Amino acid sequence: MPKYVYDFTEGNKDLKDLLGGKGANLAEMTNLGLPVPPGFTITSAACRHFLEHGSVPDGLDAEIERYLEALEREMGKRLGQPDDPLLVSVRSGAKFSMPGMMETVLNIGLNDESVHGLAERSGNERFAWDSYRRLIQMFGKTVLDIEGDLFEDAIDAAKEAKGVDNDVDLDAEDFRALVGTYKDIVREHAGREFPTEPREQMNLAVKAVFGSWNAPRAILYRRQERIPADLGTAVNIVAMVFGNLGMDSGTGVAFTRDPATGQQGIYGDYLQNAQGEDVVAGVRSTVPLTDLEEIDKASYDELLQIMEKLENHYRDLCDIEFTIESGKLWMLQTRVGKRTAAAAFRIAFQLVDQGLIDEDEAVRRVTGEQLAQLMFPRFGDTAGAEKLTTGMGASPGAAVGKAVFTSRRAVELAGDGEDVILLRRETSPDDLDGMIAARGILTSRGGKTSHAAVVARGMGKTCVCGAEELEIDVKARQANGPGNVTIKEGDVLSIDGSSGAVYLGEVAVVDSPVVRYFEGDEAQDELVEAVDRVMSHADERRRLAVRANADNGEDAARARRFGAQGIGLCRTEHMFLGERRQYVEDLILAETKDDRRAALDALEPLQKQDFKEIFEAMDGLPVTIRLIDPPLHEFLPDLTDLTVKVATGHASDDDERLLEAVQRLHEQNPMLGLRGVRLGVVIPGLFAMQVRAIAEATAELKEAGRDPHAEIMIPLVGAVQELEIVREEATRILAEIGVEALIGTMIELPRAALTAGQIAEAAQFFSFGTNDLTQTTWGFSRDDVESAFFGRYLELGIFGVSPFETLDVDGVGRLVRIAVEEGRRTRPDLKLGICGEHGGDPESVHFFHDAGLDYVSCSPFRIPVARLEAGRAAIESNETS
Amino acid sequence: MPKYVYDFTEGNKDLKDLLGGKGANLAEMTNLGLPVPPGFTITSAACRHFLEHGSVPDGLDAEIERYLEALEREMGKRLGQPDDPLLVSVRSGAKFSMPGMMETVLNIGLNDESVHGLAERSGNERFAWDSYRRLIQMFGKTVLDIEGDLFEDAIDAAKEAKGVDNDVDLDAEDFRALVGTYKDIVREHAGREFPTEPREQMNLAVKAVFGSWNAPRAILYRRQERIPADLGTAVNIVAMVFGNLGMDSGTGVAFTRDPATGQQGIYGDYLQNAQGEDVVAGVRSTVPLTDLEEIDKASYDELLQIMEKLENHYRDLCDIEFTIESGKLWMLQTRVGKRTAAAAFRIAFQLVDQGLIDEDEAVRRVTGEQLAQLMFPRFGDTAGAEKLTTGMGASPGAAVGKAVFTSRRAVELAGDGEDVILLRRETSPDDLDGMIAARGILTSRGGKTSHAAVVARGMGKTCVCGAEELEIDVKARQANGPGNVTIKEGDVLSIDGSSGAVYLGEVAVVDSPVVRYFEGDEAQDELVEAVDRVMSHADERRRLAVRANADNGEDAARARRFGAQGIGLCRTEHMFLGERRQYVEDLILAETKDDRRAALDALEPLQKQDFKEIFEAMDGLPVTIRLIDPPLHEFLPDLTDLTVKVATGHASDDDERLLEAVQRLHEQNPMLGLRGVRLGVVIPGLFAMQVRAIAEATAELKEAGRDPHAEIMIPLVGAVQELEIVREEATRILAEIGVEALIGTMIELPRAALTAGQIAEAAQFFSFGTNDLTQTTWGFSRDDVESAFFGRYLELGIFGVSPFETLDVDGVGRLVRIAVEEGRRTRPDLKLGICGEHGGDPESVHFFHDAGLDYVSCSPFRIPVARLEAGRAAIESNETS
């Protein structure tokens, strides 16, 4: 039989899979010689058995019995022993922290007899009865599934009957009466008596913890956080210690350094004569931890020693829970503490400088997401700003604008050049235009997976959601906030998409110092210095090159300053917009070969100039140029608008001709229509014009002593034959002009990935277009579905995260791996990159590293994120550049 | 060194890979003791070496030399021997017949000296010089790549100078002069002298045949016919025999039975004093082969014996080329002959009855495509019909209607209830509406891959294309045909999409007797009897079940008569059309839960009734019902139409509300939008209503003693989580009503196939929706691309066939295999089927058999085709049911 129970002296911090985070860390502290109340852990393997078979493994009860007996021997008293009861807590503890789960039942072992023993031994009858009623309350709620309000209502009734306001005004007799009331509640709502046999209490609590793994909230939480569903949870049985035995008792939390800044020091809170749950309930105010020095110097000094020991041992900021029982310090929990993005960077290199960790480890301790947070513009000095309320920071950034209450008004004002903030109770697909027009979005309802949050993040637009203190009245075009403040249409608001803060009036927005550093400023403060050291080390380690998606010289130059090692995606269709639209219209309306030729001839020099600017900005580095991708009608007016114009008699002759063309080119599903390489195959001269512009730009710059490196990329290839046809023409043009360029293809259709072995015959490089590949693999178009149902899908846990944000490894990622493997099998020196938006997403970058790509390409602003994550990925896979 | 050359005595008919079809059959006939002129074959392996390395393999020349010497010994004369030259032909012969390739150079071995020897030996100077000029002409054209017209022009000039019309009027002197002219042409256009050394002639011809494998026409042909590109061709060197040595010589072709009907007898043509190329050129008229009995009884009798021997040996209809040289019969070629669909069925069982083949072989000898041809309606008696012209039969069927010349007019007349035939020079995407409205399409230009042909086949619409004798004048709305016939708009035409015939006036259309047989008529004639025997044996052999795609009781009943073993796809959205549209509008416009509930409640009994009818028609058999798939706005009016209506003031209040809904639901790419399971997840109650209707229909029929078997199919699943959510609700409803049904999913998105192992956890069956799977795998929508560029893609050989007709094995097929393997790994008893249109495509059925599916489902009319091909597939893979 496997071992299902571990005493704290038997485990250690590396056994989180088996013992959960809490159990593993309690064992670790025990082995460090720290004062941890004795106890043991029932493993997650036992839980998995229970979930699968509906019963605990054979022999588990006996094994628990043995460990309980050992605990009783150590404590010198038996569980629930009438004259001097051993009490225990039963705490869940999974590998990953899961707030959706049942947490704790305290005071197990109390019953109608042992409550007297506890009263006598503690000399505190009120404490004993209070502990007993707390047991029934927690047990009833979490084990017997009784509505918690029933117990709260009973305690409120007791206070009302006595005419007092606070629990502290209730005495022993009151609590004794409450115990009776609580037992009645249990009998009535659970259909059974409250179990007074201590071992039965414990067994039921253990099974309840096991079962809580599959509670709906826990399932939902796991789906959203992408925690595997089959891990199960461990259960910790710990001897009770009490912080509420008098003024020489108490409970507290501590951090080994400041989680907001990383500064070393004594941070934490302490509450005298209290148990942990009182701190959470906020019944009384805590004091700063430093006050403990005066209250109980011995315990304080011991705590400081322990904190130092833990930090050195865990080599990281630790977060600690402790209790002092009658002057004796007990450690109840420790774990590596959460921190802000800025603190993470600072702490990482503080620890390096202290010699606790090496640089590899420092880089692993920070994330690209944290770096991205540090790069968003932020509100400068908010000291004088009037904060109205705080919602959830749903999509980061700092936005300032005039309040509007309808999408239509947002579009109107934005059309007049105004910055607007769109206020809605919640948004729906109908608000899409307004969201696009607005600088920021503020809603009074919904969480981080609400429609507003999902769509705003997709757009990269600042969003605060769930600001519940706001009452939004669309009809009156106003919102009422706390303190009788009324916001009317046109009033200026400032919203912080990271903190969720909402300010009245304009707050000045400043660039992030981290961005200034990437732009070339010298390091100025400890944070920027830490970022600098992180980036240097990540660059040293990473194997993946990082390129930029940029369509003009200016963006290319900026990307280079941010560290881009070339352009991975230059979209040429942007060069068909603006005043050049006319040529595209001419091209489409051309009735003869000569007309078409003339339109193409007019476009060529303009394209050539565009390419020259980009080549100059990226001199010496590769520039991947994608030939025109979208369908031609995207450059023409909208069908419905034009039809209405013609039908209502407002159209010119030109409009009527144009309408015919628009109708001819109209597609039911343009994303799946005549675009990409299909255009190149079907429209004579179109790709040739673009290739010629690239070739001539290259030739002219070489002539001028520069060093351009063009890579010509064919979009939307599904079959090697398409590529062969286009490649043949391009090769001929390059040879004519006497320059060289790589010719490769996007892999953005499932079929391209599935036949990559064939396609590699004709391609010198692949670049994964993961946006389109995600759309075709899932069969949904981002524009249509993100707003229509992604919020609902995230709520239901169908996605943990939008597959447009983080690469879907099981589906799209599998295609990427197939294409990498089979493409390289055909052509071992095939260059492999990715130019979808996933190129700047931290988790996805790790996948691309593992999949063996040569580079990722992303928007200029995400380049530092990609560099950092590429370094972290290399370190994690023990590779070096 | 491998053996690169085989004497005809060394080969046999099973060595087609190495010797090509022609060489293998010549060897086979030689070994049968038939009079084949001696010769040898250079293998396709030598060709492959030549193509890869640009030179023939080492030692090949010496090997050829040895074989040539043996041939010379056998013939008693040397190649080009001046006084009595051995002449040879050099003929290409690949494994598959390829009309795109160079075929033959005759008379190799003639030069300025040996021409005299030939003249003397044959006693026919004119014959000798004519043979010599033929050599230069064929050699110049096929080996030296000189434009053939140059030679034709020279011969025309010679005739003109002499004042005669026919080649037969040219004498020896004229041909001697032409030899001089031809040599000048060679010198001028090939930049070299005509090679007079016989071995050089032969070597150059061999290399030219090798090289012709990669001629553009051959490449294109292979792409279109899907012949592998790396096979190479063999080359046959055969001693020349002459059918043009006088009236006791001649040449002919023969069939061992009638290729049109299968009837046994003497079929063929004979031409006295001629060579094969004269028959092809049609210079003189042939006589029926039976006349040979009078002309040369000995040769005739020998030929009949040989034909019987060949048929018994090949156990099939053979097609034969022969030459009689001065009373001596020579066999030049044989192969299994082409035949009509009706003949194929009749011959197959004639051969069984003769004891030549078994029933397995008989079923292999017919195809589903042939069966489909036999099932199309056809023109009954065309004896009295006035045939105007013949084009290419591009999409089968028989269509009668009034001629129209524009799509607009086609739509107008069809709107008035008229049958129309659309006449166009060629069609373009602009003609789509007209093509949909017409009964048939007739074009004067373009081949089987033209726009008209591709789109018509996709629609299943009768089409004749490339009727080049018609001059179509769209402006005048008329067409001029041969014999000064003018067709005006409104004139009635009848077109035959199989034969390509175009008749003036109405020809009566009759049902196919084969369809009447499937409908239940007793077998009436030999053809129907043959079909019956084929189908019985195919049914006995096949492992794949065949189901029908049908949405109502009537179609289901017909499908059952055709042999369907259940319904594989019942689309429920068709049940939302017609007068029920109002409920869908109500559902979409519902502003409250109650309104929505009311709309769903109104739909439910209607759906239940639909299901009951289908269950009754398929009593005892499975019926797979797909829950609603298309996006809701498909049930609403068109956005542009409605916008115009509102903008021009013609709208009611209801229209304006409707417009708001249409705008809200409008999607850029509806195929990739809110549809399928996404609707079920997002719109409360919609799927539940459908499941309830299915469950209640089942319960009511069971109550009435019937035996319904519902299988509930969820469309467009991309992630197992979607399926879990819908499945949970459906399971609950089924349990409530107390009936059972399988619950499964479509696999129609790449991600579903790629994560099939996960999805199978929640699915009892998979049905591959290969239409959508093709669309998403390739990233194109059939509606948008088939008309826009498929014709061009087929012309360029990017596709050999539309992937919507025949499953794309490399891309879509790979996904199917992945899903089958990984789905079954999770759930070994997973039921697997396919319900896309590929379910009725012969080649695709073989793939589905090989991939291990349990059934295919197709439209009722294709069921016999699927049954036959499933049987053939099982026989081919040596499996039995």
Side-chain angles (χ1 to χ4, degrees), chain A residues 684-745:
Chain A
L686 180 60
F687 275 14
M689 177 276 285
Q690 296 199 289
V691 172
R692 195 171 293 277
I694 293 167
E696 285 176 355
T698 302
E700 289 177 20
L701 285 176
K702 278 192 176 290
E703 187 76 10
R706 310 302 295 270
D707 186 21
H709 289 271
E711 303 184 340
I712 297 171
M713 181 155 75
I714 316 300
L716 217 70
V717 165
V720 66
Q721 292 89 339
E722 295 172 308
L723 185 59
E724 279 167 356
I725 287 165
V726 172
R727 178 189 166 82
E728 207 169 303
E729 183 181 46
T731 307
R732 194 172 40 65
I733 293 168
L734 291 170
E736 264 172 43
I737 297 172
V739 295
E740 291 187 349
L742 295 188
I743 299 175
T745 183

Side-chain angles (χ1 to χ4, degrees), chain A residues 317-376:
Chain A
L317 178 160
C318 291
D319 137 0
I320 291 160
E321 291 175 23
F322 65 91
T323 280
I324 298 173
E325 183 184 84
S326 308
K328 161 78 179 136
L329 177 67
W330 294 101
M331 304 301 296
L332 297 189
Q333 177 159 339
T334 192
R335 60 186 169 194
V336 168
K338 296 198 192 312
R339 64 207 71 183
T340 64
F345 276 81
R346 293 166 69 161
I347 291 173
F349 271 90
Q350 286 164 6
L351 294 171
V352 170
D353 293 341
Q354 285 177 253
L356 286 173
I357 62 174
D358 65 11
E359 291 181 314
D360 274 2
E361 182 62 25
V363 169
R364 292 187 64 172
R365 294 273 178 95
V366 294
T367 67
E369 220 33 82
Q370 289 167 333
L371 180 60
Q373 277 175 35
L374 296 177
M375 291 176 68
F376 277 103

Side-chain angles (χ1 to χ4, degrees), chain B residues 640-660:
Chain B
T640 301
D641 292 350
L642 201 57
T643 307
V644 169
K645 200 170 172 190
V646 170
T648 54
H650 294 95
S652 64
D653 284 356
D654 270 1
D655 284 338
E656 294 191 11
R657 273 184 69 210
L658 207 52
L659 177 57
E660 276 179 34

Side-chain angles (χ1 to χ4, degrees), chain A residues 430 640 664 668-672 678 722 749 751 754 758 777-779 781 784 793 808 810 814 822, chain B residues 430 640 664 668-672 678 722 751 754 758 777-779 781 784 793 808 810 814 822:
Chain A
D430 296 344
T640 300
R664 191 177 66 234
Q668 291 302 315
N669 294 280
M671 187 172 295
L672 303 177
R678 302 161 192 168
E722 295 172 308
L749 297 175
R751 194 176 191 280
L754 293 163
Q758 295 169 29
T777 302
W778 282 90
S781 104
D784 292 316
Y793 265 41
D808 154 39
D810 287 351
R814 182 165 183 191
E822 300 180 9
Chain B
D430 295 344
T640 301
R664 190 176 71 231
Q668 290 301 315
N669 295 280
M671 187 173 295
L672 304 177
R678 302 161 192 167
E722 294 172 307
R751 193 176 193 279
L754 293 163
Q758 294 168 29
T777 302
W778 281 89
S781 101
D784 291 316
Y793 265 40
D808 155 40
D810 287 351
R814 184 167 181 189
E822 300 180 10

Side-chain angles (χ1 to χ4, degrees), chain B residues 300-317:
Chain B
Y300 180 74
D301 290 343
E302 188 182 357
L303 182 63
L304 291 200
Q305 277 177 1
I306 289 172
M307 282 165 64
E308 195 183 336
K309 195 164 188 175
L310 284 174
E311 214 191 56
N312 287 334
H313 186 71
Y314 281 89
R315 302 174 301 131
D316 206 346
L317 179 159

Side-chain angles (χ1 to χ4, degrees), chain B residues 775-854:
Chain B
Q775 299 193 108
T776 46
T777 302
W778 281 89
F780 48 48
S781 101
R782 182 168 194 172
D783 291 343
D784 291 316
V785 300
E786 202 163 53
S787 147
F789 64 81
F790 266 30
R792 185 86 185 109
Y793 265 40
L794 287 163
E795 271 171 29
L796 289 169
I798 294 174
F799 307 137
V801 58
S802 159
F804 292 112
E805 284 183 41
T806 295
L807 195 87
D808 155 40
V809 170
D810 287 351
V812 180
R814 184 167 181 189
L815 288 175
V816 170
R817 286 192 188 274
I818 288 172
V820 167
E821 187 184 328
E822 300 180 10
R824 281 232 175 92
R825 203 181 299 152
T826 296
R827 186 189 286 260
D829 66 345
L830 187 69
K831 271 174 100 168
L832 294 165
I834 175 267
C835 62
E837 285 174 44
H838 300 99
D841 171 68
E843 197 171 326
S844 309
V845 170
H846 286 243
F847 172 80
F848 297 129
H849 172 91
D850 291 342
L853 300 199
D854 297 313

